[in-house]
């Protein structure tokens, strides 16, 4: 308890610590937002709630890590992870996802939960259970007499995440496929009547989601560490963000992602790093509770 | 028909008694099988019969473990000191203290879990469908994480309980029969409950909760009671597991969300959701599959289990009972015959 | 006052920008049959939803048997004996007819330990009797989700009767019913009113039906009360005629 109060006191004594926490939060939040955007995309377009979302992220991380182990330059890991995970996403779609689209939501939730277990275990068998990371070997920038340290690698990570997000947004807005995806999300039957091949749209959407996650994972492995079983916490964060922001609300997803990132960093600072997982989950419960109370006021339930 | 059923039940009961003596090498596996049956049956109370698919029932299992352990320790020693010593040998229990603590601990675990189910249910039953599943999953994960940071109850190290006072084989049989007793009680309880108006009400909630509301059914009350009943039996099972395992820790054995927590759901789907026998059949099949893969697929057993989950959910969701009902409806009295109603009434 | 069972005073309800009900005031008399008509989208179902507590209202008051109910949740209102059927018929599709009837037994008279009992022979007989009453006795063992829309409508009506309400709100009871059966249904609705003593409040698009049954009729248009009166008065009210013609 004293420690917690001490940590809170620190925030007031050295306000610049807040700046560091917020900065860190925005950096992690940007990556959470990518995974959350993918989740919202798949959820909105084909009504599938993907509990393996985080495992796609971690898989992307391992793709990049594996390449670096074999002498590839680290920055190439991001686009290659994007491509490799696109392929994996397509296979997963054909084998599993395509068969749960028309079913009730619990089916997709459970099927992807099983998928999550499989993916984590396969990664564990292939790469072992140690934490891994890729060292870019760049410097660390210091500000405020060394109070704030910003590794250049993190800056590059945030830049790449933003570039990826921008690319996806432009693609969704202006390409034919992007328009078809949005039409399908609004009303799949109408889209089919209009001659859109929704099956193709679904496969594309899921592959795209997988690729986005993969690229996010490849960025994560450059700035933090990954481990085969870290997937679930990314999945949960993605759910927190989407639940807070709602579907089809990209600015909301980004804002919620950054907010959750910052809240988590504050939590970790105040309660200690051991609580990081707990904080992510507590945020989920908190968001659900708030949404529930909102709905109850209208005598509705959260469904 | 009725006579056949009696014979069937008698045979199962007889097998239950003989099994641990006939297959002494499998004592622990058989006990675990009963554990699976208990958690599958109770999962189906809310999942299959009431339509609320929880992914967090494991919460009651873990909480049951801790409550049982803490009660039995707290009756004799200071809990903080005990957990601090992390199993250091100075803490001895007499036979009376051991069995008394076990009895009170396990019962207390069941009751505590019931009460907690009502409290959590009051908050979570406003969530529907996927939100309920994820919300309950969140509760279970959060509990595991918080407990593993709580030093008073042993933190990430968990708790070591005293060893069964007697020889090892008697201990195995003792725990087997404890699980079997709870398992049989759970089954009989469920069988009775589903035949009452209570059972009809929770089925109505599953079919169309809004309609049930509009017809004046106390939906929230039924949901809370149902979950509390399920939690009671899971709590008992958790309490027994704590003593059987001797040492348990929060994330891997107590709040094991991705092991037992998801297995129970798969058992039910495999056997047939919303039926009395489905969870039992599913638990047996799943347990067999698990034991076989554990022995023969060194390293890859987990992948095989994940695959089993996916395949069950995607291709075989109605389970064994669903398949049989579809194939041989007359076995289940599904017909448009004048006589059936007389039998029902 | 005592012969007014539902008293709706100045009730308003909007959904975002859509004003579905504006200052609606109407009374339903105890023991009678009251009608509610209006073009599509005029706010009839919305008013029913407000009365049974399906959503909170923006303003006004709703009294049932002299007591304010506009803040009560759905189930509590239902347990007071004010029941509704849905325009989009709702039954428990996985259950058969008998089970649907039995689960509709009134829960307001039930103590919690009664839930731990099984149904009695009288319960079964009552279910049979009411299924017979709506003409579904032959279909009673079928999975009710497999019944036709019209049959489901009848089943829902029988379920409502099983619940022994004092007042029943029916949302388009004859929609989807074969025209040759409609006379029979009118007859049953009237008998539910006279024999079982249930006050009826009925939304109906079929003018012949409503003119035939109701003693008082209210007409909504664009969420506002347009006219009220006896069937004769309503039939000859120029505003009502215009509203219906203007809506097409
Ligand atoms: N839940 C809702 N959300 C938003 N708008 C709604 C909602 N329910 C009703 N409305 C709107 O309120 C208006 C009145 O609808 P209502 O269903 O009450 O009409 P109605 O008189 O029952 O019509 P009908 O005869 O077609 O059944 C309509 O414009 C409808 O679109
Ligand atoms: Mg309507």
């Amino acid at each position: 308890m004293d420690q917690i109060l001490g940590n809170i006191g620190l925030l007031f004594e050295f306000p610049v610590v807040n700046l560091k926490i917020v900065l860190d939060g925005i950096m992690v939040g940007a990556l959470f937002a990518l995974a959350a955007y993918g989740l919202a995309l798949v959820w909105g377009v084909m009504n599938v709630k993907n509990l393996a979302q985080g495992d796609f992220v971690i898989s992307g991380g391992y793709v990049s890590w594996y390449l670096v182990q074999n002498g590839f330059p680290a920055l190439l890991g991001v686009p290659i992870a994007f491509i490799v995970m696109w392929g994996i996403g397509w296979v997963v779609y054909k084998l599993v996802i395509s068969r749960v689209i028309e079913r009730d939501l619990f089916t997709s939730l459970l099927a992807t939960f099983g998928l999550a277990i499989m993916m984590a275990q396969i990664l564990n068998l292939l790469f072992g259970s140690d934490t891994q990371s890729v060292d870019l070997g760049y410097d660390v920038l210091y500000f405020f007499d060394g109070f704030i340290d910003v590794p250049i690698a993190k800056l590059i990570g945030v830049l790449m995440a933003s570039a990826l997000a921008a690319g996806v947004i432009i693609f969704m807005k202006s390409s034919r496929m992007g328009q078809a995806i949005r039409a399908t999300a609004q009303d799949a039957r109408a889209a089919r009547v209009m001659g859109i091949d929704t099956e193709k749209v679904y496969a594309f959407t899921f592959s795209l989601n997988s690729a986005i996650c993969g690229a996010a994972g490849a960025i994560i492995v450059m700035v933090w560490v990954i481990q085969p079983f870290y997937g679930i916490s990314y999945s949960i964060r993605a759910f927190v963000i989407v639940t807070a922001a709602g579907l089809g609300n990209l600015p909301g997803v980004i804002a919620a992602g950054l907010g959750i990132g910052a809240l988590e960093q504050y939590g970790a600072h105040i309660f200690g790093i051991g609580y990081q997982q707990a904080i992510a989950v507590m945020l989920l419960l908190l968001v659900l509770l708030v949404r529930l109370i909102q709905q109850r006021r209208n005598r509705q339930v959260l469904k | 028909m009725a006579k056949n059923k009696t014979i069937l039940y008698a045979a199962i009961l007889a097998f239950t008694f003989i099994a641990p003596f006939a297959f002494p090498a499998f004592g622990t596996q058989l006990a675990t099988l009963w554990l699976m049956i208990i958690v599958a049956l109770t999962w189906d109370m809310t999942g299959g019969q009431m339509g609320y698919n929880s992914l967090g029932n494991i919460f009651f299992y873990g909480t049951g473990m801790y409550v049982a352990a803490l009660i039995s320790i707290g009756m004799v020693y200071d809990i903080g000191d005990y957990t601090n010593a992390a199993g250091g040998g100075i803490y001895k229990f007499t036979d009376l203290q051991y069995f008394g603590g076990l009895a009170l601990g396990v019962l207390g675990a069941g009751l505590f879990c019931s009460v907690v189910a009502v409290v959590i249910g009051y908050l979570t039953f406003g969530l529907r469908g996927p939100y309920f599943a994820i919300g309950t999953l969140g509760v279970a994960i959060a509990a595991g994480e918080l407990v593993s940071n709580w030093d008073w109850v042993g933190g990430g190290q968990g708790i070591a309980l005293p060893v069964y006072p007697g020889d090892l084989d008697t201990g195995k049989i003792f725990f087997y029969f404890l699980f079997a007793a709870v398992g049989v009680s759970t089954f009989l309880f469920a069988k009775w409950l589903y035949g009452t108006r209570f059972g009809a009400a929770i089925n109505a909630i599953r079919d169309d909760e809004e309609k049930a509301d509009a017809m004046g059914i106390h939906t929230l009350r039924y949901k809370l009671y149902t979950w509390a009943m399920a939690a009671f039996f899971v709590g008992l099972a958790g309490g027994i597991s704590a003593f059987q395992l001797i040492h348990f820790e929060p994330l891997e054995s107590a709040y094991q969300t991705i092991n037992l927590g998801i297995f129970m759901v798969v058992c039910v789907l495999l056997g047939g959701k919303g039926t009395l026998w489905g969870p039992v059949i599913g638990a047996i099949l799943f347990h067999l599959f698990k034991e076989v893969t554990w022995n023969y697929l060194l390293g890859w057993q987990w992948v095989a289990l994940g695959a089993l989950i996916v395949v069950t959910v995607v291709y075989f969701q109605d389970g064994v009972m669903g398949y049989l009902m579809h194939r041989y409806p007359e076995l289940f009295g599904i017909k448009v015959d004048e006589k059936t109603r007389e039998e029902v009434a | 006052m005592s012969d007014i069972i539902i008293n709706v005073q100045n009730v308003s309800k909007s959904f975002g920008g859509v004003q579905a009900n504006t200052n609606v005031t109407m009374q339903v008399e105890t023991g009678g049959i009251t009608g509610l008509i209006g073009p599509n989208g005029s706010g009839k179902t919305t008013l029913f939803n407000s009365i049974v507590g399906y959503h909170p209202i923006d303003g006004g008051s709703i009294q049932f048997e002299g007591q304010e109910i506009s803040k009560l949740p759905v189930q509590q209102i239902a347990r007071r004996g004010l029941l509704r059927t849905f325009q989009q018929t709702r039954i428990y599709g996985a259950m058969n007819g008998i089970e649907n009837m039995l689960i509709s037994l009134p829960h307001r008279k039930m103590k919690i330990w009664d839930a731990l009992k099984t149904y009695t022979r009288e319960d079964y007989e009552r279910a049979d009797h009411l299924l017979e009453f709506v003409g579904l006795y032959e279909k009673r063992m079928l999975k009710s989700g497999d019944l036709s829309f019209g049959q489901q409508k009848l089943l829902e009506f029988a379920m409502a009767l099983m619940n022994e309400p004092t007042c029943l709100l029916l949302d388009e009871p004859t929609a989807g019913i074969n025209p040759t059966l409609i006379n029979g249904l009118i007859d049953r609705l009237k008998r539910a009113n006279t024999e079982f003593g249930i006050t009826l409040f009925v939304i109906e698009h079929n003018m012949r039906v409503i003119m035939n049954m109701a003693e008082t009729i209210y007409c909504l248009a664009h969420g506002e009360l347009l006219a009220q009166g006896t069937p004769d008065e309503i039939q000859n009210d120029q505003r009502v005629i215009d509203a219906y013609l203007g809506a097409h």
Side-chain angles (χ1 to χ4, degrees), chain A residues 285-295:
Chain A
L285 297 178
L286 194 72
V287 166
L288 284 178
L289 205 61
V290 170
R291 294 269 284 118
L292 203 58
I293 292 169
Q294 283 173 349
Q295 291 289 71

Side-chain angles (χ1 to χ4, degrees), chain B residues 192 195-198 200-201 203-204 207-208 210-216 218-219 222 225 336 338 341 344, chain C residues 54 75 78-79 83 90 92 94-95 103-105 107 110 115-119 124 128 140 142 156 159 163:
Chain B
W192 164 77
T196 64
R197 295 182 64 176
F198 192 106
N203 287 345
D207 283 5
D208 186 344
E210 233 172 66
K211 175 72 179 172
D213 273 333
M215 295 299 280
H218 299 79
T219 44
Y222 280 105
Y225 289 162
V336 206
E338 288 296 321
R341 200 193 64 77
V344 173
Chain C
Y54 190 72
Q75 323 162 351
R79 285 198 290 273
L83 221 63
R90 293 181 96 142
Y92 307 113
M95 304 183 186
I103 188 60
S104 304
L105 279 166
H107 277 240
M110 206 167 125
L116 302 180
K117 297 178 185 152
T118 47
Y119 295 108
Y124 278 93
D128 280 355
R140 70 197 187 287
L142 290 185
E156 195 186 24
M159 287 162 70
N163 201 279

Side-chain angles (χ1 to χ4, degrees), chain C residues 13-16 18-21 37-49 54-55 87 171-172 203 205 220 223:
Chain C
K13 174 73 192 172
S14 64
F15 299 102
V18 183
Q19 190 75 31
N21 285 147
I37 60 171
N40 289 120
S42 57
K44 306 180 294 295
T45 301
T46 304
L47 185 67
F48 267 24
N49 283 338
Y54 190 72
H55 48 218
Q87 180 171 5
D171 200 338
E172 302 190 18
I203 295 180
H205 276 299
L220 286 178

